[in-house]
Amino acid sequence: GLADPAAAPESVYLEVPVLDKERCTNCGACREICAYKAIARLGAKIMIFPDMCHGCGGCFAVCEAQALSVGRRELGVVQFGTALDGKARFLMGRSRIGEAMTPPLLRGLENALAAMLAQDGADVLLDAPPGVSCPATSTIISAWRATVMGKPLAVIMNRAGMPDNLAGDALLRAYCAEQELPLLAELPFERAAAESYARGRLPVLDSEAWRERFRLLRTALRHQAGEVR
């Protein structure tokens, strides 16, 4: 089952159009509606480039000749595992080599997580890529929903004190103050930490200073969540 950390990886697919050349009238309606240039007209013929498809389904809706059937493109796999000597479980998405689109894979992770939590509820940490790109937005949208539900929201600043980003640190602190967001911790930019995880280790395993930072962060998170008042 999905709650089994030894479960085999599960492939995630995106529905893409497959052209039936015998049915196609070359009207071009599918090409016109495709915002991602995954369908083109070369000469008098319609051609489909499935690797560029975003799976919106618009082409199926406008094809009056019913010349498009549903195919699929593998985006990657959802993998299951454990960490911290089996005390924690994790889900991880691994994109297919050459695949640029990750939001549908992230939705596959969300579905797997929902099934896992239905069997065994637990606290969940979601790890997102940095920045404000589609993958990051797809990951944090549930946190945004949490604010609508009135649940607490807080900030942890990572890689604080980078020599070229001191102004960015100041902007983030100011934003948190303006929005009344608790800044629970500032984890420093530190070469020793990078060396630890480059060796496949957690910084807390190699540094008492990092252990203390995460002890304090744990206490702050519990206060924030209302477990400690």
Side-chain angles (χ1 to χ4, degrees), residues 154-172:
V155 175
I156 300 168
M157 186 188 301
N158 194 26
R159 297 186 180 181
M162 290 181 65
D164 296 332
N165 194 44
L166 298 180
D169 290 353
L171 285 172
L172 180 55

Side-chain angles (χ1 to χ4, degrees), residues 2 11 19 29 31 53 59 63 77 92 95 123 127 132 142-144 162 176 181 189:
L2 284 174
S11 294
L19 182 66
R31 179 188 66 84
C53 177
C59 55
C63 182
V77 295
M92 180 178 71
S95 296
D123 293 329
D127 185 24
V132 291
S142 58
W144 176 82
M162 290 181 65
C176 291
L181 294 174
F189 176 70

Side-chain angles (χ1 to χ4, degrees), residues 96-155:
R96 174 180 61 85
I97 294 176
E99 179 59 59
M101 189 184 310
T102 55
L105 178 57
L106 292 169
R107 288 193 288 273
L109 279 170
E110 290 176 353
N111 293 336
L113 176 62
M116 182 180 287
L117 293 178
Q119 297 180 27
D120 183 15
D123 293 329
V124 179
L125 294 177
L126 302 178
D127 185 24
V132 291
S133 61
C134 292
T137 302
S138 298
T139 304
I140 65 174
I141 190 67
S142 58
W144 176 82
R145 289 174 182 156
T147 64
V148 175
M149 296 168 62
K151 294 184 178 180
L153 184 66
V155 175

